[in-house]
Amino acid sequence: MLRKYTAIVFLAALFLFSATDAYANTCAWSSGSTKNWSDTSAWSGCGGVAPTAADDVTVSGTGTLTVDGTSGSPSLARSVDFTGFTGTFTMGATASLKVGTSSTGIFKLVSGMTYAPNSAATIEFVSTTGTNNVTSGSKTLPNLIFN
């Protein structure tokens, strides 16, 4: 009997600890108009909210996407990929975007897009134990923070 309960507890623990990304979404932005990062109507696949630190973000199409999070309440994503985007990505003077998890961070700009951040805007990679992968697409990236 003890063996049966031990097996059940082991399987339950295995399930709980292996489901770390169970609530992660792939949030897609393809608005074609001007939208802020925090605008829930700009995203599909996010469950009706703006991307969170657990979400992978893909940005495609045209239009203007503006990061409107600040250092006190940053815009968040596990990864950000602009493959297929030909619009403009902007960040205001107090804008802050946090990318990654404790083990990885991915931020990919592409050559066919425009990146127009304010010189005081920041992109912070939260990975402390793994690899951060930054693809600039020949863009200048001001104020990158690696933890």
Side-chain angles (χ1 to χ4, degrees):
M1 185 71 136
L2 180 60
R3 246 183 161 172
K4 181 179 179 181
Y5 289 118
T6 302
I8 291 171
V9 169
F10 174 76
L11 290 174
L14 182 64
F15 173 75
L16 288 173
F17 291 112
S18 66
T20 57
D21 293 333
Y23 299 105
N25 295 305
T26 298
C27 300
W29 187 92
S30 58
S31 171
S33 62
T34 299
K35 297 281 185 175
N36 287 334
W37 187 282
S38 64
D39 185 345
T40 59
S41 71
W43 302 99
S44 62
C46 275
V49 298
T52 70
D55 296 327
D56 295 311
V57 168
T58 61
V59 181
S60 62
T62 61
T64 300
L65 174 59
T66 301
V67 170
D68 57 343
T70 63
S71 61
S73 181
S75 297
L76 304 167
R78 181 168 67 176
S79 66
V80 182
D81 185 348
F82 287 91
T83 300
F85 184 58
T86 57
T88 301
F89 178 55
T90 67
M91 299 177 73
T94 60
S96 177
L97 173 63
K98 282 192 175 186
V99 178
T101 65
S102 62
S103 61
T104 188
I106 299 170
F107 184 75
K108 181 180 181 183
L109 300 175
V110 294
S111 61
M113 64 176 284
T114 300
Y115 178 51
N118 182 285
S119 62
T122 61
I123 299 173
E124 180 178 353
F125 292 87
V126 298
S127 173
T128 56
T129 61
T131 303
N132 290 297
N133 184 349
V134 180
T135 304
S136 70
S138 299
K139 312 287 186 261
T140 300
L141 302 172
N143 301 316
L144 297 180
I145 301 170
F146 295 92
N147 288 323

